[in-house]
């Protein structure tokens, strides 16, 4: 029912298929109140392209007239809508108005019986001010009801809501237990009061504690989140669905939503919005309109802006710039900036889902950029995977000098030339040996000349750790890509170091893990280079084409020959995706590897990695590009795990 | 012809009136190439609300057919447009294609004769790679031509372009000399190559060097700037007009403009834009459309987005949040972040135009927020205007403690209570005595709990300077508004300090300058307080209502009685706006003060200040709110300088 299509870390574009069609996520489910249709579901479909709405089964159940109609002709007919319909259960009503008079089993059966595409359990709302004991009780009761509800769902998809207040341990436990049950989706509940109070860092803690313990193959729904302000960061954390009554609620207060916040109509000079609702009127007309029409226009604006921001988010996933989008949007409110900082605690987890490279550049947005998974990964891999070449490695470090200075780079280069040494440059990402300068993200980064002080200090710390670890001083210098270009020029003019060989070895180790460069030992290695750029194109080992270097990210594309050599140098499970034997035969003929057939996978494989596809007997079937990490390959029932690039047969 | 309507620092909303109607600035003038009408001027008016376009008089002059038609029936008829038309002179063509074969006088006369609303001199384009001598020669020749051209303009408005390459001294000289000539507008020229190369910090240096030496009463046009990416920061620097051929040029390359950058149509997953051009199609349709239609749709999108971003900028000026907008947008590209940092050199100049408060909150967006003029002003005024009250002033400082900790605030408060001392709290803005906590921007700020390290270090430096200057240690603590609220509570419960009196004195000195609080000396002072909030509403001095305190910014509104007292305590010109005697009589009857009648003004008056209006004999006529600073009052020929709130008669 749920298939991964594109991704940027945990942020992902998926297809969710219900009995009423396919929905592209991340998606916003507008809340439809059957008693108060500011915008009808039909209009939502036609004007906004909304493929799924959410309505409240408790409100329907609780109103005899609505209940009878729903039971007789179904919820789709009640709403006059033929897209997908999700139903909520009354939990939120219980939170707002107190006791809801319905049995948890009855409301699930009711949702099933009225033909809801996705029903929701009647979980217990855990308030942010709950003590740990109260929150634990809410979780226990939620889990009890979840277990009972899962048996009743029939053909309906069922959503099992994660509760636990602001207690990470309770969220974790709740998520873990729910993952073992037969659910199709997991809302994260109890966050509305946090959102209302702009407690976004608490939202981050709650979502991350939950998300990490839910199966990656089930959509995550951030219950009650309907403001475009939070969409980017929520999607970054792996949320797939949102729902919103806000577009209508805000409209009734004459408040207009924007991706950077909310404004009262009265405070605006101009509508300053190009959406169809705003371009159909002027601010003067809107102010003079009759209240009902005004509310409807503002509701339409709010929904347009929300739907658009999710398209914007999907574009960012597509081009691999979700971090940039989130860091930009975080400036909309200091509480969002806090939330971004709170996310830093999860860098290790986030790194597991972070693609190894992207086509677009890495844009620096502020001190927070230093905590992106791609930066941490570069540093970690440098320290654990990079092996210093035999040539004397670097050279020079001037105490008290600011860590980036082109003139200093020139001095170092001059010394370096005379002593036959290799360079290591202090960069934003960490120490960069000159032979790694073309590998993502080094050359693909766009940085300002002057970095924030926090970042410079942290850069220095890393460099000093490195210098200390290697027992030689470091040239503390950094001036963005230009310095690298300069040093590269110097390196090119030198004969004594075989830069191609250095680069090939360094990239092999960095990309596939320490030891990968051993495949070159004692072999005859030939480099085919681009006539235009002089860059390595292909690596021929003992006469066979083993590797190709990609121009856009300076990483290797693996050929079957390369996979053979690598599989000798690196013991299983390294860089392997193990596929059941029958599907492996198809892969060996060039078919892509579907997640459902993956039986094991190297936990160090990251999305975008070039991997070796084998059968369970360790025979190589193919090489290709991983679209998922291990957790995902083992969890997903649908979708491609490895896009096969070359097959043995 | 040019009137200030609303402002936020140098950023301003003005009305520019030509013979063909009024144009609200900041405005984008789409470039119309009479040979290639991607979008016709008529469409620009109808679909985009464009009130002024720019076309190139040299292209018309150079084409016999166009020239004859223009001379016969005028440029408006040629373009089939009845809005305002500005014409360019061929300078840019000279820059791109080399020698332009027209005499500088002839092209000005030609523009005048074809009925251009605003013509432009044929200045000499100073390239960014010019040596200082070359740039100086370009400036000399530009000034020579400017002098000659100004005599020929007739009824036409004439734009005198500032040149000087990247040399601030040359830009300054050029701007100064041009200001003395009879021009109506000043383009800043030679910036297109800088914009194309993303050299935005150079653009900042060039614009600021020019702007500071141009009369504030003449519109400034950033020649060739047409990407929404640069609108916010350019407007912040006081640019009023932009022109753009980019919307069409980019469209021909299938590039779509957004406020955060440019994207190739091919790189987008979805249009993710709600503009009328994008909502009239889908990405699939657009890709499949015939090339001409596709280019037109993208051009329309580009123009919509550009026009919208300027509306957005005008909304920000209206609500006083231009800094927030600029700091947010600066994350779109590291080069813009650099530009924002380059702007810090001009904080002193910017402060002269910065309003004293605003209705919205001060939002922290990152380390750069520390360099906003409002922050510098608070610090400067605290150090130069605030006088420590007689009660023992503060108390405690813990070395090495992080400078914000609520528990520490509690400790300090406890000590403080027992020793009858006043508090000074280390804040983002500088040292805050508790009695200034309600004055803008202290209580009106929204800050994250965790500030960037750069900022914390700079805060500490300021606090230590203060502690040192006063010979007592400082409680280095800060936890945003909450701590202030907490300390205020403690203060409220204490009887020995008269907090109202403390506050009244401190705000008087901070708002009107040191010595203003002397008006209370030896007087009977009574406070009328709000029944709801307990805050000071009115200050009655010797039985007369002299001051009212505004709830939203904690500053005083001056009454005539207050003005009388202040004028005794503060010698002229302090807080005075001196008006010619006849208009002063009208002001004394309650009429607003127009800029053209202002003969002198305290250079320390800032927009939003409560000021005393006098005649040239120092008789008080009225009190009111200044909308301009001194430079502006003396320069503007139109518009209100002081909105009179109370008059003597």
């Amino acid at each position: 029912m749920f298939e991964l299509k594109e991704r940027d870390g945990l942020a992902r574009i998926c297809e969710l298929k219900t009995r009423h069609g396919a929905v592209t996520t991340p998606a916003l489910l507008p809340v439809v109140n059957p008693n108060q249709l500011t915008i009808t579901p039909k209009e939502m479909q036609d004007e906004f392209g909304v493929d799924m709405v959410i309505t409240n089964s408790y409100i329907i159940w609780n109103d005899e007239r609505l209940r009878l109609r729903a039971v007789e002709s179904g919820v789709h007919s009640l709403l006059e809508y033929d897209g997908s319909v999700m139903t909520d259960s009354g939990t939120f009503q219980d939170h707002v108005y107190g006791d809801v008079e319905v049995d948890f089993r009855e409301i699930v059966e009711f949702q099933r019986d009225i033909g809801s595409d996705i029903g929701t359990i009647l979980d217990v709302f855990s308030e942010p001010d709950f003590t740990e004991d109260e929150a634990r009780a809410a979780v226990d009761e939620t889990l009890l009801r979840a277990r009972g509800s899962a048996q009743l769902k029939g053909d309906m998809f069922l959503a099992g809501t994660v509760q636990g207040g602001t207690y990470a341990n309770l969220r974790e436990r709740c998520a873990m237990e729910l993952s073992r049950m037969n659910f199709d989706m997991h809302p994260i509940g109890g966050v509305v009061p946090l959102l209302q109070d702009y407690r976004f860092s608490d939202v981050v803690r709650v979502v991350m504690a939950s998300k990490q313990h839910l199966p990656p193959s089930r959509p995550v729904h951030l219950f009650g989140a309907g403001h475009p302000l939070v969409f980017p960061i929520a999607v970054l954390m792996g949320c797939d669905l949102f729902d919103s009554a806000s577009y209508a609620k805000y409209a009734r207060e004459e408040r207009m939503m924007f991706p950077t916040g909310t404004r009262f109509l009265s405070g605006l000079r101009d509508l300053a919005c190009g959406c169809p609702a705003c371009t159909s009127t002027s601010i003067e007309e809107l102010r003079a309109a009759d209240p009902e029409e005004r509310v409807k226009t503002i509701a339409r604006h709010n929904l347009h802006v929300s739907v658009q921001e999710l398209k914007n988010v999907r574009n960012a996933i597509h081009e691999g710039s979700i971090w940039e989008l989130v860091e930009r949007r975080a400036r909309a409110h200091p509480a969002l900036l806090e939330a971004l900082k709170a996310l830093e605690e999860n860098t290790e987890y986030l790194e597991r889902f972070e693609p190894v490279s992207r086509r677009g550049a890495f844009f620096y947005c502020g001190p927070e950029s230093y905590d992106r998974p791609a930066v941490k990964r570069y540093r970690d891999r440098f320290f654990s995977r990079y092996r210093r070449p035999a040539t004397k490695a670097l050279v020079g470090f001037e105490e008290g000098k600011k860590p980036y200075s082109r003139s200093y780079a020139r001095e170092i280069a001059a010394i370096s030339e005379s002593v036959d040494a290799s360079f290591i440059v202090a960069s934003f990402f960490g120490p960069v040996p000159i032979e790694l300068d073309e590998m993502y993200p080094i050359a693909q980064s766009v940085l300002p000349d002057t970095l924030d002080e926090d970042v410079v200090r942290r850069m220095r710390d890393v460099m000093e750790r490195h210098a200390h670890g290697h027992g030689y001083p470091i040239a503390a210098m950094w001036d963005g890509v230009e310095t690298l270009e300069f040093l590269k020029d110097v390196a090119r003019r030198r004969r004594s170091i075989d830069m191609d060989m250095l680069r090939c070895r360094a990239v092999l180790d960095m990309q596939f893990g320490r030891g990968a460069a051993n495949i070159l030992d004692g072999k005859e290695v030939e480099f085919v280079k681009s006539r235009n750029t002089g860059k390595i194109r292909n690596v021929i080992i003992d006469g066979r084409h083993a590797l190709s270097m990609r121009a856009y990210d300076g990483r290797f594309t693996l050929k079957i020959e390369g996979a053979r050599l690598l599989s000798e140098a690196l013991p299983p499970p390294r860089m392997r995706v193990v596929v059941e034997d029958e599907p492996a035969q198809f892969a060996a003929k060039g078919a892509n590897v579907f997640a459902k057939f993956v039986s094991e996978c190297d936990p160090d494989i990251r999305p975008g990695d070039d991997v070796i596809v084998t059968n369970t007997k360790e025979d190589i079937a193919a090489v290709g590009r991983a679209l998922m990490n291990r957790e995902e390959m083992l969890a997903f029932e649908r979708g491609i795990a490895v896009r096969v690039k070359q097959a043995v047969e």
Side-chain angles (χ1 to χ4, degrees), chain A:
Chain A
M1 70 165 292
F2 192 59
E3 185 176 339
L4 182 69
K5 295 289 194 182
E6 295 191 68
R7 59 106 49 76
D8 187 10
L10 286 174
R12 53 195 190 172
I13 299 174
C14 297
E15 192 184 72
L16 171 63
K17 269 193 185 139
T18 80
R19 287 174 299 199
H20 284 82
V23 177
T24 300
T25 67
L28 173 70
L29 283 43
V31 173
V32 176
N33 180 341
N35 288 315
Q36 192 172 26
L37 291 175
T38 312
I39 302 175
T40 68
K42 178 87 176 64
E43 287 173 312
M44 283 173 188
Q45 207 158 29
D46 297 345
E47 185 178 338
F48 302 88
V50 163
D51 295 322
M52 172 146 74
V53 299
I54 183 168
T55 192
N56 196 297
S57 66
Y58 177 72
I59 293 178
I60 299 173
W61 179 87
N62 208 26
D63 178 314
E64 200 171 321
R65 195 181 49 85
L66 292 175
R67 179 169 44 186
L68 286 176
R69 279 177 54 201
V71 170
E72 244 166 59
S73 51
V75 66
H76 291 80
S77 152
L78 182 74
L79 301 180
E80 299 177 19
Y81 183 67
D82 60 9
S84 303
V85 174
M86 179 172 178
T87 44
D88 195 358
S89 58
T91 301
F92 193 72
Q93 281 61 35
D94 201 41
H95 153 70
V96 177
Y97 309 107
D99 250 15
V100 158
E101 300 285 337
V102 65
D103 178 78
F104 74 86
R105 292 175 204 84
E106 186 175 354
I107 198 71
V108 169
E109 288 169 334
F110 178 68
Q111 294 175 75
R112 183 195 65 202
D113 294 343
I114 63 174
S116 173
D117 294 298
I118 308 176
T120 308
I121 63 167
L122 185 69
D123 51 310
V124 182
F125 198 95
S126 52
E127 304 285 344
D129 61 358
F130 270 9
T131 64
E132 191 165 348
D133 281 342
E134 289 170 322
R136 185 176 303 111
V139 168
D140 288 342
E141 177 65 19
T142 294
L143 289 172
L144 189 88
R145 294 185 185 177
R147 225 164 266 123
S149 303
Q151 298 160 2
L152 305 169
K153 69 177 195 174
D155 285 343
M156 175 178 72
F157 288 150
L158 187 60
T161 310
V162 182
Q163 290 288 355
T166 55
Y167 303 94
N169 55 328
L170 295 178
R171 291 280 177 179
E172 283 177 23
R173 181 164 72 86
C174 191
M176 262 187 281
E177 303 240 358
L178 288 172
S179 347
R180 290 190 206 106
M181 302 179 201
N182 185 14
F183 284 108
D184 306 279
M185 180 197 286
H186 292 289
I188 297 177
V191 295
V192 168
L194 299 174
L195 292 167
Q196 281 168 342
D197 292 347
Y198 279 56
R199 289 172 60 181
F200 299 134
S201 22
D202 284 326
V203 173
V204 163
R205 284 182 204 105
V206 162
V207 171
M208 290 310 298
S210 312
K211 172 74 188 178
Q212 296 189 37
H213 299 91
L214 292 171
S217 53
R218 293 183 189 164
V220 171
H221 179 161
L222 193 59
F223 239 147
H227 199 299
L229 198 61
V230 301
F231 292 164
I233 195 166
V235 170
L236 179 80
M237 294 188 290
C239 294
D240 305 290
L241 294 164
F242 305 91
D243 63 278
S244 173
S246 309
Y247 71 96
K249 274 192 199 154
Y250 279 60
R252 286 194 285 277
E253 298 161 1
E254 308 206 345
R255 296 168 76 193
M256 300 182 75
M257 298 161 105
F258 297 96
T260 53
T262 313
R263 295 286 182 278
F264 281 100
L265 174 62
S266 60
L268 292 178
R269 186 184 183 279
D270 203 316
L271 293 178
C273 172
C275 86
C278 290
T279 48
S280 69
T281 182
S282 70
I283 193 160
E284 295 79 15
E285 277 170 33
L286 186 59
R287 283 181 177 143
D290 78 66
E292 202 175 320
E293 195 191 315
R294 186 162 54 243
V295 167
K296 171 130 186 190
T297 303
I298 298 176
R300 283 174 57 220
H301 159 87
N302 289 344
L303 199 51
H304 272 297
V305 163
S306 304
V307 167
Q308 235 179 75
E309 179 66 354
L310 278 178
K311 285 189 186 167
N312 209 2
V313 166
R314 295 202 291 258
N315 268 352
I317 296 172
H318 179 70
E319 69 171 17
S321 62
I322 190 74
W323 279 96
E324 280 85 351
L325 179 65
V326 169
E327 290 182 27
R328 281 164 197 162
R329 290 287 192 248
R331 311 286 157 179
H333 196 284
L336 270 178
L337 202 54
E338 291 272 353
L340 182 59
K341 284 175 184 161
L343 201 54
E344 290 169 14
E345 291 160 27
N346 302 283
T347 311
E348 204 156 317
Y349 175 71
L350 293 167
E351 190 277 327
R352 302 209 315 249
F353 297 83
E354 181 72 12
V356 289
S357 75
R358 51 168 158 169
R359 286 192 178 267
F362 177 108
F363 282 87
Y364 178 89
C365 297
E368 298 75 22
S369 303
Y370 196 75
D371 290 290
R372 287 191 206 162
V375 182
K376 179 183 158 46
R377 172 187 294 158
Y378 176 81
R379 274 196 312 272
D380 288 353
R381 292 196 169 183
F382 175 79
F383 287 117
S384 66
R385 296 185 171 190
Y386 175 72
R387 292 180 295 177
R388 195 152 52 108
T391 54
K392 291 187 201 84
L394 191 85
V395 179
F397 174 64
E398 218 158 334
E399 278 299 340
K401 195 136 190 173
K402 69 171 188 168
Y404 39 97
S405 135
R406 201 164 316 163
S407 63
Y408 188 54
R410 291 212 169 84
E411 275 171 53
I412 294 299
I415 302 166
S416 195
E417 249 186 304
S418 66
V419 299
D420 184 24
S422 172
F423 306 99
I424 296 184
V425 181
S427 89
F428 174 75
F429 297 95
V432 178
I434 194 70
E435 62 269 26
L436 282 177
D437 67 343
E438 281 166 14
M439 193 178 185
Y440 182 88
I442 307 304
Q444 294 79 2
S445 57
V446 184
L447 306 160
D449 290 340
T450 321
L451 288 169
D452 292 280
E453 280 176 43
D454 303 15
V455 171
V456 171
R457 189 189 50 67
R458 293 169 74 180
M459 268 170 58
R460 287 194 83 102
D461 288 351
V462 170
M463 289 306 295
E464 275 159 26
R465 181 155 66 94
H466 173 64
H468 183 75
H470 284 69
Y472 59 79
I474 289 294
M477 58 195 174
W478 180 85
D479 199 11
V481 173
E482 264 187 276
T483 305
L484 284 171
E485 284 303 314
F486 167 76
L487 291 177
K488 227 158 64 184
D489 260 3
V490 177
R492 227 175 259 133
R493 281 182 275 113
R494 301 173 55 209
R495 304 272 155 81
S496 47
I497 290 180
D498 182 346
M499 188 50 74
D500 293 333
M501 185 55 91
L502 266 189
R503 182 181 308 281
C504 187
R505 300 191 76 95
V507 172
L508 277 168
D509 276 352
M510 287 290 282
Q511 177 171 348
F512 300 109
R514 191 175 276 194
N518 297 350
I519 65 169
L520 305 174
D521 293 347
K523 297 280 171 34
E524 191 159 313
V525 182
E526 206 184 318
F527 298 105
V528 180
K529 298 172 77 173
S530 156
R531 247 178 274 169
N532 292 328
T533 62
K535 289 184 181 174
I536 298 173
R537 274 279 181 75
N538 299 328
V539 183
I540 316 294
I541 303 180
D542 279 349
R544 287 169 164 182
H545 182 186
L547 304 159
S548 298
M549 188 170 265
R550 293 192 291 265
Y552 77 88
D553 67 358
R555 296 170 58 90
F556 286 122
T557 296
L558 206 52
K559 299 287 166 184
I560 291 288
E561 182 57 27
R564 288 211 172 98
L565 293 168
L566 266 187
S567 68
E568 286 161 26
L570 307 174
R574 288 174 65 186
M575 297 318 292
R576 269 86 159 177
V577 175
V578 183
V579 181
E580 293 163 22
D581 294 343
E582 214 181 297
Q585 289 175 17
F586 289 103
K589 291 192 172 71
N592 291 327
V593 173
F594 287 91
K596 66 196 288 193
F597 301 125
V598 173
S599 60
E600 245 320 329
C601 173
D602 176 3
D604 281 342
I605 284 175
R606 299 287 173 260
D609 254 330
D610 276 75
V611 298
I612 308 169
V613 177
T614 75
N615 64 13
T616 59
K617 298 169 198 74
E618 297 185 10
D619 304 322
I620 297 175
V623 289
R625 193 76 38 83
L627 306 184
M628 300 175 173
N629 69 8
R630 177 177 184 276
E631 288 167 69
E632 293 168 325
M633 289 190 194
L634 298 183
F636 269 98
E637 284 298 311
R638 296 180 61 92
I640 297 171
V642 181
R643 196 174 291 286
V644 165
K645 297 283 181 181
Q646 200 187 2
V648 287
E649 289 173 24

